Amino acid sequence: MSAATLQQVLAATGFLPDGLPTPGLYFGQEAQRLRRGRDFSPDALWRSPSSLTVYFKFEHTTPTDALVSKWRREVWNEGFAPLLWVISPESIDLYNGFGAPIKEGDTQKYLIHSFRNIEASLGELDALAGRISFETGQFWAQAPTVNRKTSVDQKLLLDLAYLESDLVKTNLERNVAQALIGRVIFTQYLIDREIVSSKLLKELCHHASLPTILRDSKATELLFTWLSQTFNGDMFPPSSASDTPAISHLSRVADFLEAVDPLSGQIDLFPYQFDVIPVELISSIYEQFAHAEPRVDNRRSSEAVNNGVHYTRLSLVSLVLDEVMDGLTGNESILDLTCGSGVFLVEALRRLVHLRANGQQPTRDLIRSTLYNQIYGVDISEAAVRVAAFSLYLAALEIDPDPQPPHSLKFQPLIGKTLLIGDAHTVGQSGDGKVVLTTPTGLKRFDVIVGNPPWSFKGHNGTEARRKMRAAGVPAQPRGEGLDFMLRAVEFSHEKTRFGVVLSAMPFFSRSNTGMAAAQYVMQLLAPITLVNLSNLCGWLFATATMPAVVLFARHRPQPSDQVTVVQIPWTASGAKTHSFEVSPSDIIKLTIPEINARPMKLKAAAIGCRRDMALLDSLASSHSMLGAQLATLDAELNVGLIRGLPNNQTRDARALKGLELLQTQDIRRFQIPNALPLFNLSNAQRPRSRDIYRAPILIVKETLSEGPRAIVAVADRDLVFTNAYFGASMPVAHRQSAHLLAAILSSSLASWFFLMSASEFGVWKRRLLQHDVTLLPTPDLKASVKSEAGKRLLQIEENLQHKVCTEEDWHVLDNAVFDLYALDEPDRVIIRDGLYRASWQWQAGKESSVASASVHSDIAQYAEIFLTVISDWLSARNKRHMRAEIFNLPKYSALRVVRFVLEDGPGNTRVDLIETNGELNDILNNIGNRLKVKLATALSGQRELRIHGRNEVVIIKPASRRYWMGIAALEDADAVVVESFMGGNA
């Protein structure tokens, strides 16, 4: 086996399709340039759009365990590489790059799979860890041990959290403990980079290693003094003997560097190499300490630490900067008004230097001029700004091709010049005789503005305060201040400034009039924009956040001036394991500002659903009035129930309600109100509401979707009090049947689909409905409906369900009756049935179902039938041709599914055939590609979904996950094929 065989392996596994490197694949010196480290020099690497990296190393003889262990330790420290491939003439060995090093020569513990018969195993290797398997998530299902839980960021955070906790527990002030940790990390970085040698340490401090220096307080004082003099006050504030912590504290830090277990005293392998760990990661982790809140016992449990990883993930930083910095020259200026510890600024510095160097090795002057003149940050926290300066200095040293000698590396101060401590809303104004972020003509204008401003909910007082600061006619965001930061950022922009900012999703998707006004104002101001919906990733991307997130991009690429591009990033089983994103062409929808202004719910529908969903929303809104309006015609209204409140808040008279039955949170059943309820016995309550809203018959809707995606609804036929866990509409006795009809409609899949597409919180944040979510439901005329045949049938079904537990068949019957009442055609029924399924993705079981492999016998067959129905309707106008489908019966573990639709002459019936396959996935793709004269392997490098048109056929190739093969996907794909047929092109 030779180096040429490395290319053979890469070609067989999709990294070198059709003899050309897939995007992200690099060889030789380019691959080596893209990584940092002392010993490991890859022969090739592949980097995904989310910065995950797979390393390939070829050796002419099988390397020793000790050597592979050394390589893998470096790969682990880098934090982005889940896989290391070691290829030799005898085998191909795959190693877990996220597995924490535990001892020298620990390679066997982290060996995922070894392929001995290489020629015969390439297909198996491709199925396990090939590029398509990797990108579609199939690999992560087959290799569950490869997980971020053991990656360098998680372990370092845990270790440093314990270190900080132990220092504080032994009476070291928290800020002093954090400063000590920062100094030690930086010093170890200098040592690991060999900027500071053992010889120099010996000369300065009479000890050759940092742990031994720390165990000597006088030596530590000498070292810290030298560091302050050699660098500057931003990085190391001047220290004195009185600033040096006690020897017990220094010894605890020395124990950390020597991997001494603080409980057992045993010495383990110190796994960290600070010259390899990305500076952004150090910055992100150290941010935890800059904003740490004291605990009651001054110690955090390991569970709390594990659950509290909430810094800005580096994959999100890459997502933002990949967009806003695409096509820049390198001479642009960048501002982050809420920079925190500088994670965006560090990566922006690296990218600007790379652009300015234009393929050449950057000089120190170029690096420093970029740092001093193009990178600006503001934060209200002094600790955070100091970390930002620390991180930027580290990054500048890291990029420096020859950071020697140490005494020539002194930096200019950043704090007070380009890094400012202060409120972003007032920075730029004169203060203590100095003007910052200004020019002679006004505020400084920046070319790129990025960041992750606070999402905190300030309540009514905060909203009122911000409204006072707003200019006339500029709406304030009601639930936080993220959009206010956007408006402030605009003041530092010019007409071509690019924006990439992480914000709360709530103003964009809520039905709050004030929230929508604020969001629409910002979109109009910055259009064209792109909104990337991150709400599906809350579980790992912002695990401790109280709101879902979006990224707002503006003016970052050519688009029509009023365009809003909406990108939804779906949940994947591998996302939390890898901190990576998955986006397909079908996840992107384009709207216009006028469309959103006319029907605001379209914005959320675009972020959650498909084009067919939006068309159905338009159709229903045009055909029916909203539920709130329908209730008004019956002199009824939907109200929120009673709030009992705490004793000190129970100030309002509730005596009119005493003696009525009380419906509490867990009492209701679908279509049923229990007969024996407790009595309400309070004389006062916080908000008792009017006695009139509790008069029977009452349509009652539970606020939370506690039993799945269907709303829980029932009709109370007797007066009773319901709490604010419910919404209720007291109906006139003459319209009792309307209440029962609405109970059936609100329990249907149509309502679930509608709430998913339009509700303020369900689908993006919480599994609950708000009052106005329910009142917006398009509803047929109630007076006419109860008299119609469809309405009578639905009322009979609802009455039957009052006396039993609903089965799947019962729901199917109910849903069809509601469809009949709304006079929906079959495609619309497909959309709504799939809407119920998509609504189930708000629960873990539903999420996992969405990424399970689609069955060729059920999922794919149904997809093909629905696709053929749409095409047949189109062909029926001339009745001269018909279409059939061929489903390739690929193995269940295959990362893709393939369906071929064949157009044949003459009228005929559609049919779906299952085609047995004898080869691997690559063989099938090659055969199809050869017939259609398309390089499928290359095409699949750029897109997850392909539609390839032949003369009388179209082949559709998509990932195996079930979400790609739903009925609504068939409708959307068929629509696209019809359009493409007119255009005569491929997609």
Side-chain angles (χ1 to χ4, degrees):
M1 186 174 184
S2 65
T5 313
L6 171 62
Q7 297 196 5
Q8 178 188 347
V9 171
L10 294 175
T13 51
F15 294 97
L16 197 65
D18 303 308
L20 299 173
T22 190
L25 183 69
Y26 301 93
F27 287 99
Q29 291 185 347
E30 185 68 9
Q32 294 155 21
R33 187 188 66 78
L34 288 173
R35 77 164 310 276
R36 53 180 71 85
R38 313 166 190 170
D39 301 304
F40 178 57
S41 180
D43 294 299
L45 70 80
W46 174 76
R47 186 158 290 169
S48 77
S50 295
S51 296
L52 288 182
T53 304
V54 177
Y55 285 115
F56 305 91
K57 181 66 176 175
F58 173 76
E59 289 285 288
H60 289 283
T61 59
T62 302
T64 64
D65 279 1
L67 181 58
V68 175
S69 175
K70 186 179 291 187
W71 293 344
R72 211 193 59 78
R73 185 182 175 196
E74 280 197 9
V75 166
W76 178 79
N77 270 274
E78 194 169 295
F80 288 102
L83 273 180
L84 166 63
W85 295 34
V86 178
I87 304 167
S88 69
E90 290 79 23
S91 65
I92 300 175
D93 297 327
L94 269 58
Y95 293 96
N96 176 5
F98 283 161
I102 52 176
K103 61 182 179 180
E104 299 290 350
D106 60 359
T107 56
Q108 293 304 307
K109 177 179 174 61
Y110 295 112
L111 179 64
I112 299 170
H113 203 290
S114 183
F115 298 89
R116 299 296 177 185
N117 188 343
I118 296 175
E119 295 290 339
S121 301
L122 289 178
E124 184 183 353
L125 172 62
D126 180 45
L128 172 63
R131 186 188 57 78
I132 291 176
S133 177
F134 197 90
E135 284 198 324
T136 59
Q138 202 77 6
F139 166 77
W140 308 101
Q142 299 178 83
T145 58
V146 184
N147 198 301
R148 278 277 188 185
K149 290 180 180 178
T150 57
S151 64
V152 65
D153 53 337
Q154 299 291 318
K155 180 167 175 53
L156 184 56
L157 172 63
L158 184 62
D159 286 351
L160 293 184
Y162 277 131
L163 175 60
E164 180 213 29
S165 176
D166 285 346
L167 293 173
V168 173
K169 188 178 181 181
T170 53
N171 300 318
L172 189 65
E173 290 185 15
R174 186 173 298 275
N175 63 330
V176 178
Q178 293 168 358
L180 175 60
I181 293 171
R183 290 183 180 193
V184 168
I185 288 175
F186 178 69
T187 307
Q188 191 62 53
Y189 171 85
L190 296 175
I191 295 169
D192 286 351
R193 282 287 315 266
E194 299 180 351
I195 297 171
V196 173
S197 64
S198 298
K199 180 181 178 182
L200 179 59
L201 289 176
K202 187 80 172 176
E203 292 173 358
L204 289 170
C205 311
H206 313 297
H207 298 287
S209 71
L210 184 55
T212 55
I213 291 172
L214 292 171
R215 297 187 193 281
D216 181 338
S217 58
K218 182 62 177 177
T220 301
E221 181 187 341
L222 289 171
L223 176 62
F224 286 172
T225 299
W226 178 81
L227 288 168
S228 296
Q229 294 169 350
T230 302
F231 296 95
N232 65 33
D234 282 359
M235 182 173 288
F236 280 97
S239 61
S240 63
S242 60
D243 295 326
T244 304
I247 191 65
S248 60
H249 299 132
L250 295 172
S251 295
R252 174 64 184 90
V253 181
D255 285 346
F256 163 72
L257 292 177
E258 291 181 328
V260 177
D261 187 285
L263 298 178
S264 68
Q266 292 184 336
I267 298 177
D268 298 315
L269 170 74
F270 185 70
Y272 304 113
Q273 296 174 312
F274 287 106
D275 60 324
V276 179
I277 296 173
V279 172
E280 300 94 321
L281 180 58
I282 296 174
S283 170
S284 298
I285 291 173
Y286 192 61
E287 185 176 5
Q288 302 303 293
F289 304 135
H291 297 285
E293 291 293 333
R295 303 302 193 269
V296 173
D297 60 355
N298 285 329
R299 190 176 184 88
R300 282 173 274 186
S301 69
S302 60
E303 180 181 3
V305 171
N306 286 333
N307 293 335
V309 182
H310 61 271
Y311 54 82
T312 306
R313 305 286 186 182
L314 302 188
S315 51
L316 179 57
V317 174
S318 293
L319 171 73
V320 172
L321 295 183
D322 284 349
E323 281 292 304
V324 295
M325 297 188 70
D326 182 43
L328 296 185
T329 66
N331 296 313
E332 291 79 8
S333 57
I334 292 183
L335 171 67
D336 185 345
L337 280 173
T338 53
C339 69
S341 65
V343 64
F344 280 102
L345 298 180
V346 166
E347 179 60 18
L349 170 66
R350 180 177 287 112
R351 295 181 184 220
L352 287 176
V353 168
H354 176 73
L355 289 169
R356 288 186 63 189
N358 195 26
Q360 303 299 311
Q361 192 173 70
T363 64
R364 184 174 301 165
D365 286 344
L366 184 149
I367 296 166
R368 298 296 176 91
S369 67
T370 306
L371 173 63
Y372 299 147
N373 301 313
Q374 296 175 241
I375 303 292
Y376 290 77
V378 180
D379 201 276
I380 201 166
S381 164
E382 179 177 352
V385 172
R386 291 201 174 277
V387 175
F390 166 84
S391 302
L392 286 166
Y393 291 144
L394 278 180
L397 287 175
E398 180 185 283
I399 302 168
D400 196 320
D402 184 26
Q404 293 290 346
H407 59 76
S408 70
L409 300 178
K410 183 180 290 290
F411 287 97
Q412 296 178 18
L414 300 179
I415 297 175
K417 295 186 176 180
T418 55
L419 295 180
L420 307 175
I421 302 165
D423 188 336
H425 294 296
T426 57
V427 71
Q429 300 173 2
S430 297
D432 58 25
K434 187 165 73 173
V435 178
V436 292
L437 287 187
T438 60
T439 68
T441 58
L443 290 178
K444 182 175 175 61
R445 308 292 174 166
F446 292 86
D447 302 307
V448 178
I449 297 178
V450 296
N452 184 1
W455 305 354
S456 51
F457 175 39
K458 298 295 186 180
H460 295 296
N461 292 336
T463 299
E464 286 302 317
R466 293 195 310 282
R467 280 177 177 156
K468 291 176 182 178
M469 297 172 61
R470 290 269 73 82
V474 179
Q477 181 185 346
R479 295 193 61 84
E481 50 189 334
L483 292 181
D484 293 336
F485 276 97
M486 286 299 302
L487 295 175
R488 175 59 170 160
V490 170
E491 298 176 24
F492 291 95
S493 71
H494 52 73
E495 62 182 11
K496 294 185 179 180
T497 297
R498 300 181 178 193
F499 293 82
V501 183
V502 185
L503 298 166
S504 166
M506 296 312 297
F508 297 94
F509 302 142
S510 77
R511 300 278 66 80
S512 156
N513 289 334
T514 51
M516 287 189 295
Q520 288 172 7
Y521 181 86
V522 169
M523 288 191 291
Q524 188 102 29
L525 184 67
L526 296 177
I529 69 166
T530 296
L531 278 180
V532 180
N533 176 21
L534 302 175
S535 61
N536 293 317
L537 313 181
C538 285
W540 65 264
L541 187 58
F542 296 108
T544 61
T546 58
M547 296 181 188
V550 297
V551 182
L552 187 150
F553 294 107
R555 305 172 185 165
H556 63 299
R557 59 174 60 192
Q559 300 178 79
S561 60
D562 64 348
Q563 182 170 297
V564 176
T565 302
V566 183
V567 181
Q568 53 177 303
I569 299 185
W571 180 89
T572 63
S574 59
K577 293 182 179 181
T578 64
H579 299 176
S580 60
F581 308 111
E582 176 183 306
V583 181
S584 299
S586 58
D587 297 323
I588 302 171
I589 293 179
K590 295 179 180 179
L591 301 171
T592 65
I593 294 287
E595 280 183 279
I596 295 170
N597 291 342
R599 205 177 296 282
M601 71 174 61
K602 270 193 169 182
L603 185 59
K604 186 196 173 191
I608 296 293
C610 305
R611 294 167 186 82
R612 283 265 187 166
D613 290 305
M614 293 191 293
L616 182 54
L617 284 173
D618 279 341
S619 174
L620 291 176
S622 300
S623 303
H624 307 288
S625 300
M626 293 182 292
L627 174 59
Q630 292 284 6
L631 288 173
T633 65
L634 306 181
D635 296 323
E637 181 183 10
L638 195 69
N639 292 284
V640 179
L642 166 142
I643 301 176
R644 279 177 287 199
L646 298 173
N648 60 325
N649 289 327
Q650 293 172 346
T651 58
R652 300 184 183 183
D653 188 357
R655 287 175 295 177
L657 309 182
K658 289 189 73 171
L660 290 176
E661 291 180 82
L662 176 64
L663 184 70
Q664 301 182 87
T665 305
Q666 301 302 323
D667 291 335
I668 196 172
R669 300 291 181 268
R670 296 189 186 278
F671 305 109
Q672 302 170 27
I673 302 292
N675 289 323
L677 293 173
L679 301 182
F680 182 75
N681 59 8
L682 294 177
S683 297
N684 294 285
Q686 182 177 345
R687 294 200 176 187
R689 318 294 185 188
S690 167
R691 170 65 177 84
D692 291 337
I693 74 169
Y694 304 116
R695 300 190 189 280
I698 313 169
L699 172 72
I700 295 179
V701 183
K702 190 173 184 180
E703 176 192 52
T704 59
L705 298 164
S706 56
E707 298 178 15
R710 293 181 188 267
I712 300 174
V713 191
V715 176
D717 287 317
R718 61 192 189 277
D719 290 9
L720 54 77
V721 176
F722 53 91
T723 69
N724 64 325
Y726 302 97
F727 313 119
S730 174
M731 308 284 281
V733 175
H735 294 291
R736 186 183 303 271
Q737 285 186 313
S738 293
H740 287 280
L741 188 74
L742 286 172
I745 293 172
L746 289 167
S747 301
S748 71
S749 59
L750 185 146
S752 298
W753 163 82
F754 179 80
F755 296 144
L756 177 69
M757 293 298 137
S758 65
S760 294
E761 297 180 355
F762 183 57
V764 293
W765 187 23
K766 294 183 178 179
R767 297 193 288 262
R768 74 173 184 181
L769 302 174
L770 302 184
Q771 179 183 0
H772 58 260
D773 297 335
V774 180
T775 61
L776 291 174
L777 177 69
T779 307
D781 181 271
L782 293 173
K783 295 177 183 177
S785 292
V786 296
K787 299 176 182 178
S788 68
E789 289 302 315
K792 291 176 182 177
R793 185 164 64 253
L794 189 54
L795 285 168
Q796 185 61 57
I797 293 169
E798 191 268 349
E799 183 179 359
N800 294 339
L801 296 180
Q802 293 176 31
H803 309 290
K804 61 179 297 190
V805 176
C806 298
T807 65
E808 283 301 314
E809 179 59 27
D810 291 329
W811 288 125
H812 180 73
V813 171
L814 173 73
D815 287 341
N816 282 332
V818 171
F819 297 159
D820 291 341
L821 181 67
Y822 279 78
L824 299 179
D825 60 19
E826 186 55 34
D828 288 344
R829 298 179 186 217
V830 168
I831 294 167
I832 291 172
R833 291 190 193 102
D834 276 353
L836 179 69
Y837 176 54
R838 288 176 283 163
S840 75
W841 300 353
Q842 300 306 303
W843 287 261
Q844 188 61 30
K847 291 176 181 177
E848 292 173 358
S849 173
S850 75
V851 298
S853 294
S855 165
V856 295
H857 298 286
S858 55
D859 302 306
I860 309 293
Q862 182 183 53
Y863 167 93
E865 289 168 358
I866 294 172
F867 184 100
L868 289 173
T869 299
V870 176
I871 300 298
S872 295
D873 288 345
W874 182 59
L875 294 174
S876 65
R878 300 181 65 184
N879 198 30
K880 289 185 176 181
R881 292 187 292 180
H882 67 281
M883 181 172 272
R884 61 181 177 86
E886 295 177 350
I887 300 173
F888 290 82
N889 192 15
L890 294 165
K892 184 177 180 180
Y893 63 77
S894 292
L896 300 174
R897 295 287 183 266
V898 181
V899 183
R900 178 180 179 234
F901 295 97
V902 183
L903 192 62
E904 298 181 333
D905 291 333
N909 295 324
T910 61
R911 75 173 193 271
V912 178
D913 298 323
L914 190 63
I915 306 299
E916 295 300 328
T917 59
N918 297 318
E920 296 288 344
L921 175 61
N922 278 342
D923 298 328
I924 294 165
L925 295 179
N926 288 336
N927 290 335
I928 295 172
N930 291 335
R931 189 180 70 252
L932 296 178
K933 296 181 175 56
V934 174
K935 292 184 177 182
L936 282 186
T938 300
L940 282 166
S941 299
Q943 299 189 59
R944 292 178 176 273
E945 306 172 54
L946 286 180
R947 293 186 300 273
I948 304 99
H949 291 256
R951 177 174 179 143
N952 287 303
E953 66 180 290
V954 59
V955 178
I956 294 181
I957 305 171
K958 296 197 283 187
S961 297
R962 187 175 293 157
R963 79 178 192 90
Y964 291 98
W965 299 99
M966 296 182 297
I968 191 169
L971 295 173
E972 296 267 325
D973 289 343
D975 291 343
V977 167
V978 171
V979 171
E980 291 157 6
S981 297
F982 281 114
M983 295 171 60
N986 292 352

